[in-house]
Amino acid sequence: MTETAPAINPYDGYRFLRDAQPIAKLDENGPWQVSRHSDVHQVLRDHQTFSSVVSTRPVEDRGEPTMLFSDPPVHQRLRKLVSVAFKPSHIERQAERIEARARQLVSAIPKGETIDLVNALAAPLPVMVIAEMLGVEDGDMATFKQWSDAIFSNIGEILFGTPSPEAEQAALEMNQYFLEQIANIRRAPQSHLLGRLVETTTDDGHLNDEELLSFCRLLLIAGNETTTGLITASAKIFHELPQTFDALQANPNLGPTFVEETLRYYSPFSATARRTTRDVTLSDVHIPKGELIIPLIASANRDDRVFDQPDVFCIDRDPNPHLALGFGIHFCLGAHLARLEGKIAVQVLTEQFKRIRLTEPEAAVMGGLGGPKSLPVVFT
Ligand code: HEM
């Protein structure tokens, strides 16, 4: 019989870092890990010192910049172009469609059988939502999801090294697909987000194909796995604290604070990256120019210097100054959408079922980027 090593809970490591080495360079050539709330907040806020252009690949190999990995003025221009589509009023208009999608997925879940919640709901829901924004037809949805998985699972390599052949192949295929879509839109305008972007005119003319492709890729990278992580985190909390499930059934108005607390407690975007543009002192630690910094968002969100009883899940925590959606100029563009999807997912689950139980709870480790790749659960 093979023995599997016990899963390591990243939150133990985060606590150790916050208390013993809040700004730590764990090996000589490695990045600096920043674990306290105040320091993570400062890194995210000060975009002049902590640049989002983290890649060290030659500029000509990086492709068009995306807003997530750029600094002003490039960042400002890219963000302004698309922000209108992400305004709360625009996103609210999608609520009915998202709810219909969620109900369709949840109604296919059998009671009393072990199913994978990632496959059944947590992964397809965000993919469907983004796909719809980009005008992907229902029939292309499965392929679209495969590309997004292949590209996202190699995000570290995309950022810091050479992408794997699988990721490159997926990116090529996806580019080809969207180039065709863009050409079709130019012939017959469309009202979805990609359609509107194709039409958008800026001071320097229309967005070119590369810029449009780069935006499609960004939405996939930033919006999929993270929202999947939010839904799996909610299920894990329902398993660990069944009283939260009862509370939501009795009072669905707790949905928004439940989602906020889930974002804090099991932050799906657990860490991000920055590079110093100058020598800087952060909480008395000297960091030279050009160093890679990893603000540990999931750790900041459990810091007892800011949160009372940070390891207790409090369904109506208020205030809740978590950093799960970032802070400053890169604050999550999809925040309203993510919150809406999270709220709808828990609402539909608590309406349809009496209980949810994880069948392998120890394997469902939270606190890493995204969340578990599968989550076996039984609904009753
Ligand atoms: C629970 C789900 C989500 C979480 C936890 C999350 C978290 C974050 C965080 C922490 C950042 C800032 C990263 C940094 O400063 O380096 C960010 C940025 C971003 N997010 Fe989200 N996100 C989620 C869902 C979404 C969705 C659904 C979309 C869009 C469909 C989206 C689009 C973006 C974009 C475009 C950015 C870059 C913004 C900029 O650079 O100005 N996110 N997100």
Side-chain angles (χ1 to χ4, degrees):
M1 204 171 91
T2 48
E3 273 195 28
T4 33
I8 296 168
N9 176 2
Y11 287 101
D12 295 338
Y14 294 152
R15 186 183 310 109
F16 171 80
L17 283 178
R18 281 194 307 273
D19 292 342
Q21 257 185 296
I23 310 223
K25 194 168 168 75
L26 300 177
D27 76 82
E28 207 188 329
N29 298 317
W32 296 81
Q33 317 242 15
V34 176
S35 50
R36 285 189 187 164
H37 189 285
S38 56
D39 294 323
V40 171
H41 187 251
Q42 182 173 341
V43 170
L44 298 181
R45 196 181 49 199
D46 182 358
H47 59 267
Q48 280 167 334
T49 307
F50 301 97
S51 164
S52 289
V53 183
V54 288
S55 175
T56 48
R57 296 171 72 189
V59 177
E60 59 277 14
D61 290 353
R62 287 187 211 158
E64 282 295 325
T66 63
M67 77 182 88
L68 186 56
F69 303 120
S70 61
D71 294 334
V74 175
H75 171 264
Q76 214 172 352
R77 171 176 175 266
L78 293 174
R79 185 151 175 143
K80 198 168 156 216
L81 281 171
V82 293
S83 19
V84 97
F86 287 89
K87 273 175 138 174
S89 52
H90 276 258
I91 296 300
E92 274 304 319
R93 267 181 242 153
Q94 294 184 54
E96 250 176 62
R97 295 279 305 146
I98 300 175
E99 192 175 328
R101 293 272 192 196
R103 285 196 189 285
Q104 185 194 0
L105 292 165
V106 168
S107 65
I109 299 178
K111 286 186 185 150
E113 277 175 36
T114 304
I115 59 116
D116 176 9
L117 188 68
V118 173
N119 264 336
L121 174 71
L125 185 63
V127 174
M128 284 171 168
V129 172
I130 293 173
E132 217 162 281
M133 293 177 91
L134 297 177
V136 175
E137 310 280 328
D138 272 10
D140 298 331
M141 207 69 91
T143 320
F144 186 71
K145 167 77 183 128
Q146 279 165 12
W147 290 328
S148 111
D149 285 348
I151 297 169
F152 191 86
S153 68
N154 285 289
I155 183 73
E157 291 166 36
I158 289 170
L159 272 182
F160 306 121
T162 314
S164 71
E166 293 77 27
E168 292 224 305
Q169 183 57 31
L172 274 178
E173 289 175 20
M174 197 176 76
N175 285 356
Q176 198 48 46
Y177 176 85
F178 278 115
L179 282 175
E180 281 167 29
Q181 297 281 96
I182 291 164
N184 290 339
I185 293 169
R186 292 212 164 103
R187 282 193 293 271
Q190 298 282 338
S191 60
H192 51 66
L193 173 64
L194 183 58
R196 270 182 279 146
L197 282 179
V198 171
E199 295 285 298
T200 302
T201 317
T202 67
D203 292 345
D204 26 332
H206 282 98
L207 288 169
N208 64 35
D209 286 357
E210 253 315 306
E211 287 173 313
L212 290 164
L213 287 179
S214 150
F215 182 69
C216 296
R217 275 197 300 268
L218 171 63
L219 282 196
L220 284 172
I221 291 172
N224 262 351
E225 193 99 355
T226 44
T227 314
T228 302
L230 172 59
I231 297 172
T232 48
S234 306
K236 175 133 169 147
I237 288 159
F238 290 149
H239 172 89
E240 291 172 342
L241 303 166
Q243 63 274 28
T244 56
F245 200 81
D246 300 340
L248 283 165
Q249 279 178 330
N251 182 5
N253 291 334
L254 286 171
T257 51
F258 173 87
V259 169
E260 287 316 297
E261 181 67 340
T262 305
L263 284 168
R264 179 192 77 82
Y265 195 78
Y266 284 141
S267 309
F269 202 136
S270 55
T272 185
R274 296 289 190 266
R275 201 172 281 284
T276 47
T277 58
R278 59 176 178 90
D279 286 13
V280 59
T281 302
L282 192 61
S283 285
D284 296 335
V285 176
H286 176 79
I287 305 177
K289 178 180 172 175
E291 293 280 292
L292 188 64
I293 312 285
I294 305 294
L296 296 168
I297 291 175
S299 168
N301 287 341
R302 294 284 191 108
D303 191 342
D304 62 6
R305 292 155 195 84
V306 170
F307 299 98
D308 280 343
Q309 297 193 292
D311 296 322
V312 172
F313 184 92
C314 178
I315 195 167
D316 55 358
R317 189 180 284 275
D318 182 30
N320 193 347
H322 67 73
L323 299 171
L325 296 162
F327 189 86
I329 62 166
H330 292 277
F331 179 75
C332 179
L333 181 71
H336 296 294
L337 184 57
R339 287 172 165 139
L340 182 67
E341 286 183 61
K343 194 182 77 175
I344 289 174
V346 297
Q347 179 196 325
V348 172
L349 288 176
T350 49
E351 272 172 26
Q352 298 285 317
F353 300 109
K354 287 210 183 74
R355 269 286 172 271
I356 169 169
R357 182 169 58 81
L358 271 58
T359 58
E360 296 167 30
E362 322 71 44
V365 177
M366 302 289 163
L369 205 55
K373 300 283 171 223
S374 71
L375 192 72
V377 299
V378 177
F379 284 101
T380 47

